[in-house]
Amino acid sequence: MSLHKVTLHVPPKTKLSGRLDVLMMVSGFLLAVFVGMHMLFVGTVILSPRLMDALAWFFEELYLVQIGGPLILLVMVGHFILGARKMPFRQKEFIAFRTHTGMMRHTDTTLWLVQVATAIIVLIMASIHIYVMLDTLPITATKSAVRIQYGNWLPFYVVLLAAVAVHIIIGLYRLGVKLAVITRKNRPKARKLLLYVLAATAVVSLLTHLRLSLMTV
Ligand code: HEM
């Protein structure tokens, strides 16, 4: 198969597609900021369940959860649709993409395939999660602990966290490369930094779940 043939699935660049790319980058960055803040918010339970309750009360009093929840879902769906423009959904496109990846042996192209898989997992699981959260308001540390201890939600969160963390880290890396913040020279350093962020997220999440599992309910 010629290189020309296998790259046919890539849509041609237009002014509109450039603008949609910017929109995708901005929405992705905002979602990453949200998830980071969300992890810190839920992580306050490590310090004190009462602190988590107080923060949840504060956000709900301001309707930030009731309005923010559906808004985040909307931004997430929009971000997915913007990304889906480039996803190799059809079998022919997928085979062409795989051949292309194999021929180039290009890490960044392989990372993009991981982006596609994690995007689908996050979209489905985060939609379920947001629905459950909004359906069982108000948020309290005790309710979260009950879900973990008696509701069998732990495996769900492990998969969601792994998918969302990998998706965000790769997304930030690709964004850094596109904006030339990450250059050939500082690339190894940037990769290391992002891996540290990934490890820190895993540690905070582990401690959060440990705290929720050990809470008296
Ligand atoms: C605005 C809507 C959201 C609210 C109100 C919310 C609230 C919460 C709460 C209260 C928990 C604690 C566990 C529980 O109660 O079951 C939790 C856990 C979690 N949430 Fe969300 N969440 C929202 C959106 C999201 C989104 C969009 C993602 C990812 C894309 C996400 C990922 C997670 C993960 C991975 C956990 C497990 C905790 C951890 O591993 O540290 N959440 N969320």
Side-chain angles (χ1 to χ4, degrees):
M1 206 182 303
S2 77
L3 186 62
H4 174 70
K5 260 190 186 165
V6 295
T7 52
L8 272 181
H9 69 280
V10 179
K13 275 260 170 214
T14 62
K15 214 171 180 181
L16 177 69
S17 80
R19 282 192 185 139
L20 293 178
D21 276 352
V22 172
L23 207 61
M24 188 179 147
M25 286 192 263
V26 172
S27 57
F29 184 73
L30 290 178
L31 286 168
V33 171
F34 166 80
V35 172
M37 287 169 62
H38 165 287
M39 288 300 153
L40 289 179
F41 155 67
V42 181
T44 56
V45 76
I46 304 166
L47 301 174
S48 146
R50 285 178 65 188
L51 178 59
M52 179 179 163
D53 288 351
L55 280 174
W57 174 83
F58 175 75
F59 291 140
E60 283 163 38
E61 279 297 297
L62 293 176
Y63 286 90
L64 286 177
V65 177
Q66 296 88 329
I67 296 170
L71 208 68
I72 288 293
L73 190 60
L74 211 70
V75 176
M76 216 167 53
V77 172
H79 179 71
F80 183 85
I81 292 171
L82 288 170
R85 289 175 304 143
K86 297 173 181 176
M87 288 182 191
F89 279 126
R90 285 189 221 121
Q91 198 192 7
K92 239 169 115 184
E93 288 173 345
F94 186 75
I95 292 168
F97 180 80
R98 285 298 303 165
T99 315
H100 191 184
T101 310
M103 271 166 39
M104 308 274 286
R105 290 196 187 286
H106 201 287
T107 322
D108 288 359
T109 321
T110 311
L111 286 185
W112 191 77
L113 196 60
V114 176
Q115 274 309 69
V116 174
T118 50
I120 295 168
I121 296 171
V122 172
L123 182 72
I124 296 169
M125 296 186 89
S127 303
I128 296 171
H129 171 58
I130 293 177
Y131 175 80
V132 171
M133 287 302 130
L134 295 181
D135 196 44
T136 55
L137 289 179
I139 292 170
T140 68
T142 306
K143 265 191 210 168
S144 299
V146 168
R147 260 194 288 273
I148 298 299
Q149 293 180 25
Y150 301 104
N152 295 322
W153 279 90
L154 187 60
F156 179 92
Y157 283 133
V158 170
V159 175
L160 174 58
L161 181 77
V164 80
V166 168
H167 188 86
I168 288 178
I169 293 296
I170 296 177
L172 288 178
Y173 171 73
R174 290 166 57 85
L175 185 66
V177 171
K178 261 187 201 160
L179 299 179
V181 177
I182 298 175
T183 57
R184 205 177 276 272
K185 213 170 148 200
N186 69 14
R187 198 172 279 215
K189 249 189 188 167
R191 282 187 182 167
K192 217 184 223 175
L193 180 73
L194 287 172
L195 284 177
Y196 283 146
V197 174
L198 194 65
T201 310
V203 170
V204 172
S205 171
L206 187 78
L207 291 176
T208 301
H209 285 293
L210 211 63
R211 185 75 169 98
L212 289 174
S213 305
L214 297 176
M215 252 177 78
T216 318
V217 291

